Amino acid sequence: MRIMDMIARYAASKSWTLRPNIVLVEGTSDEALFRRADELSRLAGQVLLGDNISIVAAGRGDQGGTFGVARELIALRSYAPLVLDKRGFLAYRIVALVDNDHAGRQIIQDVTRLDRSAVEFQDIVALRPVIPKFIKTDPLSRQHECNLANLPYGMMDWEIEDTLSPKLIAKFEKANPDIIVERTVNRDKIHYNLEDSAKAVLHLFVQREAALEDLSGVVEIVHMLRAILGLPSCT
């Protein structure tokens, strides 16, 4: 065990599961969705998160969101250089994942302005409707690849709930009529504008009803995160 592992002590104070690669998400429902995808992948004999990635919520309720992500990312990045492995390299890698909405796009600008060493597509990234299979490894090239792949969708808002399969969403709407009051359609993509109460109902439904194929979009996000973290692809 590392003496003075400040990140381990900090994670323990938050009741986070700690692994060498830490991905911060906006809220507990996001964390639960990744956890469910991981559970279903394990049942299918596949590795998704494995033992080297932990997905952790920046906070509950008002303690989460984009401001919570920024708070925790800056705190963890300040501790990271103090915790080295036996080879003298950083023991932990920290990445933040935010929604591609006004708040998410703004927080990326704020974080990279407050921490000049933080880089988009290396330390913080927003969800996008299309996740490309990256060809290059440097963050600037990856940002360009992602922007190019998403050119048809412009500045379309995109959240993790939008990655759920149309079949699962249809089943959810049948069970909960009129709960999705607004949606934005752009070509083949749909963004669902959900109130917090509706999101809570949807996430409970997902935990109960979703199959692995319904969470293929979540799996794609993990593929992207593994590439950013420099980890091998899922098996």
Side-chain angles (χ1 to χ4, degrees), residues 10 15 22 34 87 95 100 109 121 136 156 166 169 184 210 227:
Y10 189 74
S15 299
I22 303 167
F34 281 106
R87 300 170 300 165
V95 173
N100 189 53
Q109 292 181 33
F121 279 87
K136 301 292 183 67
M156 184 180 188
I169 291 292
T184 302

Side-chain angles (χ1 to χ4, degrees), residues 6-202:
M6 297 187 69
I7 289 183
R9 291 170 61 185
Y10 189 74
S13 75
K14 303 280 185 178
S15 299
W16 289 343
T17 298
L18 185 64
R19 292 183 179 130
N21 297 278
I22 303 167
V23 178
L24 289 161
V25 293
E26 293 187 27
T28 53
S29 59
D30 298 334
E31 179 186 338
L33 202 52
F34 281 106
R35 191 184 308 119
R36 186 59 180 151
D38 187 51
E39 290 168 354
L40 292 171
S41 294
R42 288 175 184 268
L43 289 173
Q46 302 169 15
V47 176
L48 189 60
L49 300 178
D51 296 324
N52 51 14
I53 303 178
S54 57
I55 308 278
V56 299
R60 293 180 177 274
D62 292 340
Q63 290 300 306
T66 54
F67 288 115
V69 166
R71 179 190 66 241
E72 300 301 342
L73 179 62
I74 290 171
L76 288 170
R77 282 176 56 79
S78 70
Y79 296 143
L82 306 176
V83 187
L84 306 179
D85 62 20
K86 292 179 180 179
R87 300 170 300 165
F89 297 117
L90 295 180
Y92 299 100
R93 230 348 226 107
I94 303 108
V95 173
L97 178 71
V98 296
D99 293 335
N100 189 53
D101 53 14
H102 175 74
R105 292 186 289 266
Q106 184 62 52
I107 212 67
I108 290 175
Q109 292 181 33
D110 293 343
V111 165
T112 53
R113 187 180 69 251
L114 290 168
D115 181 351
R116 293 294 186 180
S117 64
V119 178
E120 188 175 0
F121 279 87
Q122 176 177 286
D123 306 298
I124 186 168
V125 63
L127 293 171
R128 300 293 293 276
V130 177
I131 298 175
K133 294 186 183 301
F134 294 124
I135 298 171
K136 301 292 183 67
T137 57
D138 65 285
L140 190 60
S141 294
R142 285 178 170 174
Q143 183 177 4
H144 176 71
E145 289 175 40
C146 193
N147 289 342
L148 193 62
N150 285 278
L151 202 58
Y153 304 101
M155 297 293 285
M156 184 180 188
D157 284 359
W158 199 252
E159 301 178 22
I160 196 166
E161 293 83 9
D162 301 323
T163 70
L164 299 172
S165 75
K167 182 179 75 173
L168 185 67
I169 291 292
K171 189 176 179 181
F172 171 69
E173 287 194 279
K174 185 175 180 180
N176 301 273
D178 304 321
I179 197 167
I180 300 177
V181 296
E182 186 181 355
R183 67 195 73 205
T184 302
V185 180
N186 189 341
R187 298 174 183 258
D188 59 332
K189 302 295 184 183
I190 304 174
H191 166 62
Y192 302 97
N193 297 298
L194 296 165
E195 298 291 338
D196 288 344
S197 57
K199 279 189 179 183
V201 176
L202 174 59

